[in-house]
Amino acid sequence: MTLSSPAVVGEDRAYLDFVLGMKQYFATTLYAKLHDQYASSGTLGDLPSYPLFEWLERNTQKMMWRRLEALIRPHAPELEAGLDELPERPLGSLCLDPSLKLPEHYTETEFHIQPGGVWSGAANTFVYEAGAKIVMLGQNDDYRFHRVFVETAIPPGEYRDILDLGCGFGKSTRPFVDAFPTACVVGVDLSAPNLKLAHLQAERLGKPIAFYQRAAEATGFADASFDLVTATMLIHEMPMRVLRKVLAEALRVLRVGGVLAVLDFAHTGDRFRDLVMDGHGARNNEPYMPHLFKTDVPALLSEVGFGAPRVLPFDERGGGLCLDGRWPARSDWHFPWVVIRATKR
Ligand SMILES: C[S@@+](CC[C@H](N)C(=O)[O-])C[C@H]1O[C@@H](n2cnc3c(N)ncnc32)[C@H](O)[C@@H]1O
């Protein structure tokens, strides 16, 4: 059974290494040049290096997806069949809902320029899985990023029941099983193929996780069922009216004293970086990012009923959560990750 995207070898490897090299060039040399130009001019759109910067960001992303599509799409039938082979004695479970109506904002947007999104077929989830390894510029081997989130951003505590909203193919969910081996870990997502892959990969790795095809804004779980609700890289992919519902749903399913921990992006207060990040949203097909950046998320959390909302920078390549509230000092272009935490009073 194939549970991972086909190995990238030969010409495909060379092509993708070239794309990665271009991504690294734009994130280091070109970004530094742009930064210097901005310091002397102050208008991003007019800077001589900005057109190339924009072109490289958008087109390296497109090149990556196209090559992965060409590599993986021909294997769609066997990948599909593989996803449908269920383990005989599963440790966890998979509950799909073919009647679930996927929201239009989700199906109408090819987030991060991935053709067909992550939901429209088995090949899509494998393309997404392969892309997820590359897109963080080779800095996320073994999904260190998610491990560091769990190890540094989750307050110490007794978590019996943990819910990961928008769990994708499970790379954000699995580290919770390692960190809290006695907890019941649950993941929900809208994408059936993502969930099938999540289930099979978790089983293969011996990690008991219950996966459900449900919307983060309407999970269907009973009130007060979880001690910890998390969402990584989810909230920038939805309109703000849906975000409000997701936060209200998280509050509903948490027990009193329970924790919400979200990992996503935010403005940093550094005008240059924030303008580049706004541009990234447009270049990478992230239509809700600008709305998220304009939203006062701690205020929204308080309005919904959470206590003690806090937003802290997260240094995925260093020590994770930045408890001193300072953004990591790095000169290359990198995502402004933040951890948003709040508790149910
Ligand atoms: C960028 S991926 C992140 C996946 C995973 N959390 C990770 O960090 O690898 C966003 C995921 O959220 C899912 N998603 C988007 N909107 C959702 C919603 N309203 N309810 C549940 N899942 C959603 C998508 O299908 C996708 O798998």
Side-chain angles (χ1 to χ4, degrees):
M1 191 195 308
T2 313
L3 280 191
S4 199
S5 38
V8 183
V9 291
E11 261 186 46
D12 291 313
R13 180 76 271 162
Y15 183 96
L16 287 166
D17 282 349
F18 177 69
V19 172
L20 185 58
M22 286 206 290
K23 277 182 178 285
Q24 269 154 349
Y25 167 75
F26 115 86
T28 54
T29 313
L30 196 56
Y31 182 70
K33 200 167 169 185
L34 200 62
H35 185 266
D36 291 348
Q37 291 169 2
Y38 183 79
S40 51
S41 144
T43 314
L44 192 61
D46 291 344
L47 302 182
S49 296
Y50 198 52
L52 177 61
F53 184 85
E54 292 206 282
W55 190 93
L56 273 179
E57 183 174 31
R58 186 162 174 87
N59 286 290
T60 51
Q61 186 80 342
K62 279 186 169 177
M63 286 166 82
M64 178 188 82
W65 291 129
R66 276 201 206 122
R67 193 68 175 206
L68 292 174
E69 277 281 326
L71 173 70
I72 293 168
R73 189 68 56 192
H75 300 280
E78 67 255 44
L79 293 173
E80 180 110 53
L83 281 189
D84 285 335
E85 265 179 56
L86 291 177
E88 263 174 36
R89 276 186 220 92
L91 298 166
S93 58
L94 173 66
C95 178
L96 298 178
D97 178 2
S99 69
L100 181 70
K101 187 159 166 26
L102 301 181
E104 241 175 40
H105 76 262
Y106 178 74
T107 53
E108 292 298 306
T109 310
E110 288 183 336
F111 288 102
H112 32 81
I113 340 185
Q114 186 184 338
V118 294
W119 57 274
S120 59
N124 295 63
T125 192
F126 287 97
V127 169
Y128 174 56
E129 190 220 14
K133 287 184 188 138
I134 297 172
V135 84
M136 288 176 79
L137 303 179
Q139 299 282 338
N140 195 25
D141 292 350
D142 302 325
Y143 302 128
R144 176 182 182 277
F145 176 91
H146 290 293
R147 198 166 29 80
V148 172
F149 170 67
V150 173
E151 287 168 3
T152 69
I154 306 301
E158 291 283 312
Y159 299 111
R160 281 172 296 151
D161 296 282
I162 299 173
L163 172 62
D164 185 24
L165 301 171
C167 63
F169 58 88
K171 72 176 152 58
S172 56
T173 324
R174 296 191 293 257
F176 287 101
V177 178
D178 300 328
F180 305 102
T182 56
C184 276
V185 179
V186 176
V188 301
D189 202 283
L190 292 171
S191 159
N194 264 2
L195 288 161
K196 288 181 186 180
L197 185 62
H199 175 54
L200 293 176
Q201 285 194 345
E203 291 299 319
R204 180 169 281 186
L205 293 165
K207 300 195 194 296
I209 302 175
F211 290 103
Y212 293 83
Q213 189 181 15
R214 292 185 185 172
E217 58 274 31
T219 64
F221 297 114
D223 293 358
S225 322
F226 295 94
D227 311 291
L228 174 64
V229 174
T230 68
T232 61
M233 306 190 214
L234 168 72
I235 67 167
H236 66 276
E237 289 193 359
M238 55 184 59
M240 293 307 98
R241 65 183 155 75
V242 181
L243 174 59
R244 175 181 275 275
K245 286 189 189 160
V246 169
L247 298 180
E249 180 68 354
L251 185 75
R252 185 186 70 74
V253 299
L254 274 170
R255 301 186 176 114
V256 171
V259 174
L260 171 71
V262 170
L263 180 65
D264 222 281
F265 310 106
H267 270 178
T268 61
D270 170 339
R271 176 106 181 110
F272 171 68
R273 235 183 124 192
D274 293 345
L275 285 172
V276 174
M277 190 61 191
D278 289 345
H280 163 80
R283 292 185 284 276
N284 208 42
N285 262 12
E286 311 280 6
Y288 304 109
M289 238 180 218
H291 304 284
L292 179 63
F293 295 159
K294 278 190 219 128
T295 300
D296 182 343
V297 179
L300 185 57
L301 282 161
S302 301
E303 269 175 48
V304 164
F306 274 101
R310 207 152 172 221
V311 181
L312 286 170
F314 179 79
D315 182 2
E316 85 282 9
R317 292 186 208 171
L321 190 69
C322 305
L323 273 169
D324 59 6
R326 289 213 205 115
W327 290 91
R330 290 213 318 254
S331 58
D332 59 332
W333 161 247
H334 56 285
F335 286 128
W337 294 110
V338 283
V339 172
I340 303 160
R341 276 197 330 216
T343 48
K344 177 159 176 171
R345 290 177 291 207

